[in-house]
Amino acid sequence: MRSAKQIRSEFIDYFRDKGHTFVPSSPIVPIGDESLLFANAGMNQFKDIFIGLVSPEYPRAVNSQKCLRVSGKHNDLEQVGRDTYHHTFFEMLGNWSFDDYFKAEAIEWAWELLTKVWQIEPSRLWATVFAGDLADGLPPDDEAARLWTKVTSIPAERVLAFGKKDNFWEMGETGPCGPCSEIHIDLGPDRCDMQDVPGHKCRVNAGCARYIELWNLVFIQFNRHPDGRLLPLSAKYVDTGAGLERIVAVLQNKKSNYDTDLFMPIIDYTAEITGHKYTARLGNKTDNAFRVIADHIRSLVFAITDGATPSNEGRGYVIRRILRRASRFGRELGMHEPFLYKLVPVIVDYLGEAFGEIKERAEHVSTVIESEEASFGRTLDRGLEIFNTAAKRVEKSKDKVISGENAFQLYDTYGFPLDLTELMAAERNLKVDTVKFNELMEQQRERARSAQKSDSIMAVLTDTELPVTEDVQKFHADSCESRILGWIDKDGLKTQGHIRNGAEVGLILDKTCFYAEAGGQVGDCGIIESNEACFVVEETIKIANCVVHRGKVTDGSFGVGHVVRAVVSRDRAAIKKNHTATHLLQWALQKTMGKSIAQQGSHVGPDYLRFDFTYPKALTAEQVEKVEELVKERIIEDLPVTWTVLPKDQAQQLGAMALFGEKYGSEVRVVAVGAGSDTRIEDAFSKEFCGGTHVDRLGSIGGFKIIKEESISAGVRRITALTGRGLNDYLEKASDIVDELSVMLKVPSEGIIERVGQLVKDNKELSKKLKKASRSSGSDVMSQARDLLENCEKIGDSSVIVGRLLTDSVERAREAIDMLKKKSKSAAIVLAFDDDGKVTLLAGMTNDIIEKGLSAGQVVKTIAPIVDGGGGGRPQMAQAGGKNPQKINDALAKATEIIKAKLST
Ligand code: ATP
Ligand code: MG
């Protein structure tokens, strides 16, 4: 039997023999592409080639792409576990032609590989072609239909035509697309899972599991414009995708992808940890849990390796949901403690050879998963509680439906996927209002969509060849002379005419000294001016090799060919300092805490720098101090900063640090700190792959201060630090505070600490004395209460007695309430006191007040959260504790409001 590893290699070798270059998978988290949450097809990394923004390095390519289909246009999450062939994470094998061969070869080779090399019985295979679409004005793909019977042995009756839904492939709402031809396999009548559906007939694309799609051959010919139009591309491409897991199941003669060597090791180990048995049945709760867990843990390993971390937004949120879903299914197998992380080594063991990155990051991945599992363990139980309460309520109702709001709350706040809530509801013979749920989901999606609006400039650049901008000047100049080549507006690239005053465009120059946003360093701002006109640059970005200066004409007008002066804002100097300091920081972190520290992201702007890195726990104060000291020492030494461009291999040999998962060209720029003209780059203490701008000597950074060290997600820490200008502002503010304190306390600044220390001590003693005094005069609480009564407000005949007591005795306060009730006959009373930071709230109501609908228990329960506490009691008397004495007055104000509202009606 062929192993999955062999099958992957055979695919790659087959196409290598046919002149294809092997290209490694791009990261599952697309770097620098915000329009896509996760790689969902092999074509993602070649998108810019298809829309004509960059030219391919090779005419043919072959790859195995890591894909995740859990969001956006392609989302198979709900399918996972229920069937045997949809996963969240899977490998997509593909062969690619970049304006080289087209339909004939693509069809012939796919057929040859399946039927000759892999010996799949040809009579089990079916092909489909595109039937055309009237609305889009697309003709049927007769060419493909003809080719199928011409270049393969498939009989015409097994070539079927389908519409846009099945045979027109689109990556997302916009982007490259085209008609496709799919190859399906007939797995035999016993695999049909729709026998109970009336009128069901097993056919290709009829929805049952008897026929499944193995391979999709996409002929990319169009680009979908944001306004919905299909624009033809000038070149034609072949983009194919075959799911490795499905092929492996067929070739290993298994009934399910989960029975193959890609999943069984995970399932076996899960069985070992949980003590449950996997029996491979569909529709079985326990087996379903096994499958979901095996599927989800693969997604987690690959996504977290490539830089995603569980969080509350975007990519991180998707990952969090997958993890929580797996965790909940773990309860089906009796797992109440974190266990998913224990599966990580099994995956690394089997897939680490093909994808070395998961090996390198295994420890980080385990840490992240374990800590997220542990924290979900807490919300999971709370979510289950909420579900149970809702279910109990609904069970008594007529329609027995869990509300959409409840389901959404469980989904959104507690991470319960809808199918999970439905499953739990079904167990109690309840339904879920999915219509309302979907409505709420749609609202949320709408919010997400507008937040993730794809780059408007990119979207209008269909099949456009952008000019190349020379931008080496950015490394040594802050201004340069250039010529206008054109601009991008809402209709696309313009290379003729004028831009008028007030216009907002992306200006393109023949050369520029502006730095385009990349590698964490923000894009430059500044101005581009001529004698007559001025353009204010708000943002600089790079598309392919073209630098685009986004901004607005504020004076005069510009035309193509005009000679202009590009002047970078003075912010640049501050940015350089922060960027070099970021390199120093990475070096110092590794020196202090070890080489396992790896960069997860950074932000280098004019005001501050931020550096995210993998580390399992908070840094100690000593570690932070040491890191800061190391950086400062280097700055004082004023060492030189230099850079060179080297072949990638050589740079790696020198030990230069690269950003994990980032794609680099064959030549890379290495920024070195500490190697001068008389020393060699090898001797530099910090060497990083980096395309950013840096100071020439460390001394000009001026100073360095870490102002924050925090966790941004499990296993990832963030340091925020200041240099130069930002540091000066910070120190100035601090010194102002010291000056003010010094005036206020009437001591010189050196004496402030001692003085404040003394004040704190005095204060403690005074309040102790005060309490003692009030305790010894036992009647004191009573007299305070009498004061409150005398000064209280009346509504009708009832007294509203709300106020603070100075005491530390609950007993005394209760006695006061009893006394007030007796004295005033009709009273609503709420009292509060603070005992060394511990708040006590007490309420009492006379019976006539209770009859009017006020309850002491209710009032206390409502106001306690204001002081960060909780409590309750009977309608006559109730008590609550709290932790926030600062808010006592707010809580009492609320109490007055509630009482008055009730008594005035
Ligand atoms: P299906 O209709 O089965 O969901 P699809 O039309 O979504 O497939 P494509 O987008 O054409 O699939 O992807 C190309 C290939 O990737 C498919 O032929 C299949 O082999 C594989 N594939 C797609 N989705 C998944 C998935 N969720 N899990 C495993 N393999 C998949
Ligand atoms: Mg699909």
Short mmCIF file of all heavy atoms in Angstrom, two decimals, residues 681-720:
data_model
loop_
_atom_site.label_atom_id
_atom_site.label_comp_id
_atom_site.label_asym_id
_atom_site.label_seq_id
_atom_site.Cartn_x
_atom_site.Cartn_y
_atom_site.Cartn_z
N ILE A 681 31.10 41.53 8.15
CA ILE A 681 29.70 41.36 8.52
C ILE A 681 29.50 40.16 9.44
O ILE A 681 28.65 40.16 10.32
CB ILE A 681 28.81 41.27 7.26
CG1 ILE A 681 27.35 41.11 7.67
CG2 ILE A 681 29.22 40.17 6.33
CD1 ILE A 681 26.38 41.38 6.58
N GLU A 682 30.37 39.15 9.27
CA GLU A 682 30.29 37.97 10.14
C GLU A 682 30.39 38.37 11.61
O GLU A 682 29.85 37.73 12.49
CB GLU A 682 31.45 36.98 9.87
CG GLU A 682 31.36 36.24 8.57
CD GLU A 682 32.00 36.99 7.42
OE1 GLU A 682 31.86 38.23 7.36
OE2 GLU A 682 32.61 36.34 6.56
N ASP A 683 31.15 39.44 11.85
CA ASP A 683 31.40 39.81 13.24
C ASP A 683 30.27 40.64 13.86
O ASP A 683 30.29 40.92 15.05
CB ASP A 683 32.70 40.62 13.33
CG ASP A 683 33.85 39.85 12.70
OD1 ASP A 683 33.82 38.61 12.80
OD2 ASP A 683 34.73 40.49 12.10
N ALA A 684 29.35 41.07 13.03
CA ALA A 684 28.26 41.88 13.56
C ALA A 684 27.49 41.07 14.59
O ALA A 684 27.28 39.88 14.41
CB ALA A 684 27.33 42.31 12.43
N PHE A 685 27.06 41.72 15.69
CA PHE A 685 26.37 40.94 16.72
C PHE A 685 24.90 40.74 16.37
O PHE A 685 24.26 39.81 16.81
CB PHE A 685 26.54 41.55 18.11
CG PHE A 685 25.88 42.89 18.29
CD1 PHE A 685 24.57 42.96 18.69
CD2 PHE A 685 26.60 44.06 18.06
CE1 PHE A 685 23.95 44.19 18.86
CE2 PHE A 685 25.99 45.29 18.21
CZ PHE A 685 24.66 45.36 18.61
N SER A 686 24.35 41.63 15.55
CA SER A 686 22.96 41.45 15.12
C SER A 686 22.91 41.47 13.60
O SER A 686 23.41 42.41 12.97
CB SER A 686 22.09 42.55 15.70
OG SER A 686 20.96 42.77 14.87
N LYS A 687 22.34 40.42 13.03
CA LYS A 687 22.20 40.35 11.56
C LYS A 687 20.78 39.90 11.26
O LYS A 687 20.35 38.85 11.72
CB LYS A 687 23.17 39.33 10.97
CG LYS A 687 24.64 39.67 11.20
CD LYS A 687 25.54 38.60 10.63
CE LYS A 687 25.70 37.41 11.54
NZ LYS A 687 26.63 37.53 12.65
N GLU A 688 20.04 40.71 10.53
CA GLU A 688 18.66 40.34 10.22
C GLU A 688 18.35 40.56 8.75
O GLU A 688 18.81 41.53 8.16
CB GLU A 688 17.67 41.21 11.04
CG GLU A 688 17.58 40.86 12.49
CD GLU A 688 16.39 41.57 13.17
OE1 GLU A 688 15.32 41.68 12.55
OE2 GLU A 688 16.57 42.00 14.31
N PHE A 689 17.54 39.68 8.19
CA PHE A 689 16.96 39.92 6.87
C PHE A 689 16.05 41.13 7.06
O PHE A 689 15.14 41.08 7.88
CB PHE A 689 16.06 38.76 6.44
CG PHE A 689 16.78 37.52 5.99
CD1 PHE A 689 17.96 37.11 6.58
CD2 PHE A 689 16.25 36.75 4.96
CE1 PHE A 689 18.60 35.96 6.17
CE2 PHE A 689 16.88 35.59 4.54
CZ PHE A 689 18.06 35.19 5.14
N CYS A 690 16.26 42.20 6.34
CA CYS A 690 15.42 43.37 6.58
C CYS A 690 15.50 44.34 5.43
O CYS A 690 16.58 44.63 4.92
CB CYS A 690 15.86 44.06 7.88
SG CYS A 690 14.95 45.57 8.22
N GLY A 691 14.37 44.85 5.02
CA GLY A 691 14.33 45.82 3.93
C GLY A 691 14.04 47.23 4.43
O GLY A 691 13.68 48.09 3.64
N GLY A 692 14.19 47.44 5.74
CA GLY A 692 13.79 48.73 6.30
C GLY A 692 14.90 49.76 6.34
O GLY A 692 16.03 49.52 5.93
N THR A 693 14.54 50.93 6.86
CA THR A 693 15.52 52.02 6.93
C THR A 693 16.06 52.11 8.36
O THR A 693 15.34 51.91 9.32
CB THR A 693 14.89 53.36 6.54
OG1 THR A 693 13.80 53.63 7.41
CG2 THR A 693 14.38 53.33 5.13
N HIS A 694 17.36 52.41 8.45
CA HIS A 694 18.03 52.38 9.76
C HIS A 694 18.97 53.57 9.94
O HIS A 694 19.41 54.17 8.96
CB HIS A 694 18.85 51.08 9.87
CG HIS A 694 17.98 49.87 10.01
ND1 HIS A 694 17.56 49.39 11.21
CD2 HIS A 694 17.40 49.07 9.06
CE1 HIS A 694 16.78 48.33 11.03
NE2 HIS A 694 16.67 48.12 9.72
N VAL A 695 19.30 53.83 11.21
CA VAL A 695 20.29 54.86 11.49
C VAL A 695 21.67 54.36 11.05
O VAL A 695 21.88 53.17 10.88
CB VAL A 695 20.33 55.20 12.99
CG1 VAL A 695 19.02 55.77 13.45
CG2 VAL A 695 20.67 53.95 13.83
N ASP A 696 22.63 55.27 10.87
CA ASP A 696 23.97 54.86 10.47
C ASP A 696 24.79 54.41 11.67
O ASP A 696 25.62 53.53 11.58
CB ASP A 696 24.71 56.02 9.79
CG ASP A 696 24.01 56.41 8.52
OD1 ASP A 696 23.43 55.51 7.87
OD2 ASP A 696 24.02 57.61 8.18
N ARG A 697 24.56 55.08 12.80
CA ARG A 697 25.28 54.70 14.01
C ARG A 697 24.30 54.63 15.16
O ARG A 697 23.35 55.40 15.25
CB ARG A 697 26.37 55.74 14.33
CG ARG A 697 27.41 55.87 13.21
CD ARG A 697 28.65 56.55 13.75
NE ARG A 697 29.40 55.69 14.63
CZ ARG A 697 30.43 54.94 14.23
NH1 ARG A 697 30.79 54.93 12.97
NH2 ARG A 697 31.08 54.18 15.09
N LEU A 698 24.56 53.66 16.07
CA LEU A 698 23.61 53.43 17.17
C LEU A 698 23.43 54.66 18.06
O LEU A 698 22.36 54.88 18.61
CB LEU A 698 24.08 52.25 18.02
CG LEU A 698 24.07 50.89 17.33
CD1 LEU A 698 24.47 49.81 18.33
CD2 LEU A 698 22.70 50.58 16.75
N GLY A 699 24.51 55.46 18.18
CA GLY A 699 24.45 56.61 19.08
C GLY A 699 23.28 57.53 18.78
O GLY A 699 22.68 58.11 19.69
N SER A 700 22.92 57.63 17.51
CA SER A 700 21.87 58.59 17.17
C SER A 700 20.50 58.14 17.65
O SER A 700 19.54 58.90 17.59
CB SER A 700 21.88 58.90 15.68
OG SER A 700 21.57 57.75 14.96
N ILE A 701 20.36 56.90 18.10
CA ILE A 701 19.07 56.47 18.65
C ILE A 701 18.76 57.26 19.93
O ILE A 701 17.61 57.52 20.25
CB ILE A 701 19.08 54.95 18.95
CG1 ILE A 701 19.27 54.18 17.65
CG2 ILE A 701 17.78 54.51 19.62
CD1 ILE A 701 19.41 52.69 17.82
N GLY A 702 19.83 57.65 20.62
CA GLY A 702 19.65 58.56 21.75
C GLY A 702 19.35 57.87 23.06
O GLY A 702 20.03 58.08 24.05
N GLY A 703 18.35 57.04 23.11
CA GLY A 703 17.99 56.37 24.37
C GLY A 703 16.95 55.32 24.07
O GLY A 703 16.45 55.23 22.94
N PHE A 704 16.63 54.52 25.07
CA PHE A 704 15.70 53.42 24.84
C PHE A 704 14.98 53.10 26.12
O PHE A 704 15.60 53.02 27.19
CB PHE A 704 16.50 52.20 24.35
CG PHE A 704 15.66 50.97 24.16
CD1 PHE A 704 14.93 50.78 22.99
CD2 PHE A 704 15.59 49.99 25.14
CE1 PHE A 704 14.16 49.65 22.79
CE2 PHE A 704 14.82 48.85 24.95
CZ PHE A 704 14.11 48.68 23.78
N LYS A 705 13.67 52.96 26.05
CA LYS A 705 12.93 52.61 27.26
C LYS A 705 11.77 51.70 26.93
O LYS A 705 10.99 51.97 26.01
CB LYS A 705 12.41 53.88 27.94
CG LYS A 705 11.64 53.57 29.18
CD LYS A 705 11.59 54.74 30.12
CE LYS A 705 10.98 54.33 31.45
NZ LYS A 705 11.72 53.27 32.15
N ILE A 706 11.67 50.60 27.68
CA ILE A 706 10.51 49.71 27.54
C ILE A 706 9.40 50.28 28.39
O ILE A 706 9.58 50.47 29.60
CB ILE A 706 10.87 48.28 27.99
CG1 ILE A 706 11.90 47.69 27.01
CG2 ILE A 706 9.62 47.41 28.06
CD1 ILE A 706 12.42 46.33 27.40
N ILE A 707 8.25 50.58 27.80
CA ILE A 707 7.18 51.15 28.62
C ILE A 707 6.08 50.14 28.90
O ILE A 707 5.20 50.38 29.71
CB ILE A 707 6.58 52.43 28.00
CG1 ILE A 707 6.12 52.17 26.57
CG2 ILE A 707 7.55 53.58 28.06
CD1 ILE A 707 5.22 53.27 26.05
N LYS A 708 6.10 49.00 28.21
CA LYS A 708 5.05 48.02 28.47
C LYS A 708 5.51 46.64 28.04
O LYS A 708 6.16 46.49 27.00
CB LYS A 708 3.83 48.42 27.66
CG LYS A 708 2.54 47.88 28.20
CD LYS A 708 1.43 48.60 27.48
CE LYS A 708 0.06 48.23 27.98
NZ LYS A 708 -0.94 48.76 27.08
N GLU A 709 5.16 45.64 28.85
CA GLU A 709 5.39 44.25 28.48
C GLU A 709 4.10 43.53 28.79
O GLU A 709 3.61 43.60 29.90
CB GLU A 709 6.54 43.69 29.30
CG GLU A 709 7.08 42.36 28.80
CD GLU A 709 6.29 41.14 29.28
OE1 GLU A 709 5.67 41.20 30.36
OE2 GLU A 709 6.27 40.13 28.57
N GLU A 710 3.50 42.93 27.78
CA GLU A 710 2.17 42.34 28.00
C GLU A 710 2.00 41.09 27.16
O GLU A 710 2.82 40.80 26.29
CB GLU A 710 1.09 43.36 27.61
CG GLU A 710 1.12 43.67 26.13
CD GLU A 710 0.35 44.91 25.71
OE1 GLU A 710 -0.79 45.02 26.14
OE2 GLU A 710 0.90 45.74 24.97
N SER A 711 0.89 40.39 27.44
CA SER A 711 0.58 39.21 26.63
C SER A 711 -0.43 39.63 25.59
O SER A 711 -1.38 40.34 25.90
CB SER A 711 0.00 38.15 27.56
OG SER A 711 -0.84 37.29 26.83
N ILE A 712 -0.24 39.21 24.33
CA ILE A 712 -1.31 39.52 23.37
C ILE A 712 -2.11 38.28 23.05
O ILE A 712 -3.23 38.34 22.59
CB ILE A 712 -0.82 40.18 22.07
CG1 ILE A 712 0.36 39.43 21.46
CG2 ILE A 712 -0.48 41.62 22.31
CD1 ILE A 712 0.64 39.90 20.04
N SER A 713 -1.54 37.11 23.28
CA SER A 713 -2.31 35.88 23.19
C SER A 713 -1.44 34.82 23.83
O SER A 713 -0.30 35.09 24.18
CB SER A 713 -2.62 35.53 21.75
OG SER A 713 -1.44 35.40 21.02
N ALA A 714 -1.98 33.62 23.97
CA ALA A 714 -1.23 32.57 24.64
C ALA A 714 0.11 32.38 23.94
O ALA A 714 0.17 32.25 22.73
CB ALA A 714 -2.02 31.28 24.60
N GLY A 715 1.18 32.40 24.70
CA GLY A 715 2.50 32.12 24.14
C GLY A 715 3.11 33.27 23.37
O GLY A 715 4.20 33.13 22.81
N VAL A 716 2.42 34.40 23.28
CA VAL A 716 2.99 35.54 22.54
C VAL A 716 3.00 36.79 23.43
O VAL A 716 1.99 37.16 24.00
CB VAL A 716 2.20 35.82 21.25
CG1 VAL A 716 2.86 36.96 20.47
CG2 VAL A 716 2.11 34.58 20.39
N ARG A 717 4.18 37.40 23.56
CA ARG A 717 4.33 38.60 24.38
C ARG A 717 4.54 39.81 23.46
O ARG A 717 4.98 39.66 22.32
CB ARG A 717 5.54 38.49 25.32
CG ARG A 717 5.67 37.22 26.10
CD ARG A 717 4.61 37.03 27.15
NE ARG A 717 4.47 38.16 28.05
CZ ARG A 717 3.49 38.20 28.97
NH1 ARG A 717 2.63 37.20 29.09
NH2 ARG A 717 3.38 39.24 29.76
N ARG A 718 4.22 40.97 24.00
CA ARG A 718 4.44 42.20 23.23
C ARG A 718 5.19 43.20 24.08
O ARG A 718 4.83 43.45 25.22
CB ARG A 718 3.10 42.79 22.81
CG ARG A 718 3.20 44.22 22.31
CD ARG A 718 1.92 44.70 21.71
NE ARG A 718 1.67 44.01 20.45
CZ ARG A 718 0.52 44.11 19.75
NH1 ARG A 718 -0.46 44.86 20.21
NH2 ARG A 718 0.37 43.47 18.62
N ILE A 719 6.24 43.77 23.49
CA ILE A 719 6.96 44.84 24.17
C ILE A 719 6.74 46.13 23.39
O ILE A 719 6.84 46.16 22.17
CB ILE A 719 8.47 44.51 24.26
CG1 ILE A 719 8.69 43.53 25.41
CG2 ILE A 719 9.30 45.78 24.46
CD1 ILE A 719 10.13 43.19 25.67
N THR A 720 6.40 47.18 24.11
CA THR A 720 6.30 48.50 23.49
C THR A 720 7.44 49.34 24.06
O THR A 720 7.68 49.31 25.27
CB THR A 720 4.96 49.17 23.81
OG1 THR A 720 3.93 48.23 23.48
CG2 THR A 720 4.75 50.43 23.01
#
